[in-house]
Amino acid sequence: MSKIKFGLIGSGWRAEFYIRIAKALPEKFELTGVVIRNREKGEEFAEKFGVKVVQSLDELMRSQPDYVVLSVKRGFVSGYLIDLFKRGIPVLCETPPGETIEELEELWKQSRKYDAKLQIAEQYFVQPLYAAWLKVIQDGKLGEVSNINISSLHGYHGVSIIRKLLNAESGNCTIYGKRFSFEVTETYGREGIVQDGETFFCTRDRLTLEFDNGKVAFFDFSDPAQYHSFIRTRQLTVQGVRGEIDDLTIRYLSSDNVPVTQELNRIDLGNYSNQEWSHYGIMLGEEFVYKNPFKNARLNDDEIAVATCMERMGEYLATGMEFYSLKEALQDTYLALMMDAALKHPNLEVRTSTRIWAQ
């Protein structure tokens, strides 16, 4: 594939990922420009990151990007998307695509009306560890998967992994649960380690999603501590008829029904005495269940995942092969909204229904 040219709308923390990736992989990606409407802010941004900044979408499109990355505040996403649909501009959109069920349905209608070229940058299922877990399931080591306990991702991100690992597609479910609040000591934030011993109250959401096909998800997330804490861990368990994933431990039966226990082993270059620094892959026994597609690139796991979305967006435009469609994103966001509704009515069942994108 030839080098992918992309434009960027947005200047926040998430938008910076795309700039870092383009600089780390110049042979694969070229950033043609960043749209920032405020001229003064744009000049500061251009100087800080060494990128071209323009004030309008029309200016950006003169640089002829293959697609545009939309990375703006949540409340502005759906309006931007519809404008891009009308202009016929291919879009890789940061999540979520909308904030209400009405917005989600309108996005679907408008995407059909304008035959939008759109994929969503939902990156977690292509992060190294999640991709390795998914490969273990797809290889059939667990047999038919029946339930998942996930305590690592919030909202629609968590729903995305639930649907992927359970192969739940657009099935309806019953949701119930409750929100709790507990005190925890701050240890880490986006700026680094925190050692002042200050405490804060952190919510913990516990929800059960019972799908109509009999599969069940147990959702558990502490916000915001679980993403940025040295004393709150990530946990995942997936059970199938012939085995289970227990975080980094995989238990399954061989073809002769002999119980096997193996650990996922992460391979990174640059540890200890060698001079590189990059993630190489994840092994289970003698086989790789994940290999970093960007060999020797100095990217963290989330950047690897975002770069994978960027590359697959290029493949989608060339071949039509979707990797994370609007339909998937709408379903994940819809279920996340219904989870929020369930939390507002503790322990009462909330029922989902088939929406227009799943009909």
Side-chain angles (χ1 to χ4, degrees):
M1 180 185 295
S2 58
K3 182 185 291 190
I4 294 169
K5 296 172 62 178
F6 73 98
L8 177 61
I9 303 174
S11 58
W13 176 79
R14 196 66 190 172
E16 294 174 13
F17 276 64
Y18 294 89
I19 297 172
R20 290 197 299 272
I21 290 165
K23 290 181 181 294
L25 295 166
E27 72 283 4
K28 287 187 175 291
F29 305 110
E30 178 184 341
L31 175 59
T32 66
V34 183
V35 177
I36 302 176
R37 300 191 187 282
N38 183 291
R39 186 175 295 275
E40 183 178 347
K41 181 179 178 182
E43 290 174 352
E44 292 175 357
F45 192 90
E47 183 177 356
K48 179 178 180 180
F49 293 101
V51 296
K52 178 183 177 182
V53 172
V54 296
Q55 277 72 55
S56 71
L57 183 57
D58 289 336
E59 285 183 86
L60 179 66
M61 296 314 296
R62 285 200 283 271
S63 64
Q64 298 184 314
D66 298 313
Y67 62 82
V68 167
V69 172
L70 181 62
S71 181
V72 297
K73 292 181 180 179
R74 290 179 57 161
F76 298 95
V77 174
S78 59
Y80 262 108
L81 278 177
I82 292 172
D83 183 43
L84 292 164
F85 293 167
K86 292 177 179 178
R87 292 169 177 256
I89 299 172
V91 190
L92 177 62
C93 177
E94 274 290 327
T95 54
E99 293 195 295
T100 67
I101 295 174
E102 292 74 22
E103 281 186 1
L104 303 183
E105 292 184 339
E106 182 62 21
L107 272 176
W108 180 253
K109 293 174 184 176
Q110 295 295 325
S111 71
R112 299 301 93 186
K113 178 179 178 180
Y114 293 103
D115 191 25
K117 297 293 186 292
L118 169 70
Q119 294 291 284
I120 307 299
E122 175 52 54
Q123 80 278 18
Y124 279 98
F125 78 103
V126 286
Q127 269 196 7
L129 181 56
Y130 291 96
W133 281 328
L134 185 58
K135 182 66 162 55
V136 168
I137 292 171
Q138 291 173 339
D139 286 347
K141 284 186 167 57
L142 308 189
E144 181 66 21
V145 170
S146 60
N147 69 88
I148 179 174
N149 186 90
I150 181 168
S151 181
S152 59
L153 301 172
H154 81 280
Y156 48 89
H157 294 311
V159 173
S160 170
I161 293 300
I162 286 170
R163 284 198 318 102
K164 291 283 187 185
L165 271 57
L166 287 184
N167 194 25
E169 297 185 343
S170 297
N172 287 314
C173 63
T174 300
I175 307 173
Y176 52 91
K178 188 176 181 180
R179 171 168 288 170
F180 302 86
S181 181
F182 302 105
E183 193 172 16
V184 63
T185 302
E186 181 72 89
T187 63
Y188 183 75
R190 287 180 177 174
E191 302 303 318
I193 295 174
V194 177
Q195 293 181 283
D196 58 14
E198 191 171 327
T199 64
F200 65 99
F201 279 90
C202 178
T203 61
R204 184 169 184 177
D205 297 343
R206 299 291 297 269
L207 291 154
T208 299
L209 290 75
E210 296 185 16
F211 290 90
D212 289 355
N213 63 3
K215 298 187 177 186
V216 179
F218 304 103
F219 175 89
D220 179 1
F221 186 75
S222 297
D223 187 23
Q226 207 152 359
Y227 281 137
H228 304 287
S229 177
F230 288 110
I231 57 173
R232 291 291 182 268
T233 60
R234 166 207 33 79
Q235 297 174 325
L236 181 131
T237 304
V238 183
Q239 294 183 329
V241 68
R242 294 186 61 81
E244 75 169 14
I245 295 169
D246 178 12
D247 213 11
L248 300 182
T249 303
I250 314 296
R251 299 180 179 90
Y252 61 97
L253 298 175
S254 72
S255 58
D256 297 323
N257 293 320
V258 175
V260 178
T261 300
Q262 292 182 317
E263 298 289 322
L264 291 175
N265 182 28
R266 182 182 176 102
I267 310 297
D268 290 321
L269 305 179
N271 292 334
Y272 305 113
S273 60
N274 73 32
Q275 301 301 308
E276 303 90 359
W277 188 91
S278 65
H279 175 57
Y280 188 83
I282 297 176
M283 299 187 74
L284 182 67
E286 297 181 351
E287 67 171 320
F288 277 96
V289 288
Y290 176 81
K291 277 189 176 181
N292 182 2
F294 308 107
K295 185 178 179 181
N296 296 326
R298 296 190 172 196
L299 302 174
N300 66 33
D301 284 13
D302 212 35
E303 291 166 342
I304 291 171
V306 172
T308 301
C309 291
M310 294 167 67
E311 186 171 61
R312 291 188 182 182
M313 181 66 185
E315 293 171 356
Y316 160 70
L317 293 177
T319 67
M321 183 179 298
E322 297 186 312
F323 67 93
Y324 194 88
S325 66
L326 178 61
K327 178 180 178 179
E328 287 189 85
L330 294 176
Q331 184 67 15
D332 289 338
T333 308
Y334 168 61
L335 290 183
L337 291 173
M338 297 303 284
M339 289 163 63
D340 289 340
L343 291 171
K344 292 176 183 176
H345 302 88
N347 298 325
L348 294 180
E349 294 183 351
V350 170
R351 180 76 187 152
T352 70
S353 58
T354 303
R355 316 309 301 187
I356 59 172
W357 54 81
Q359 293 173 356

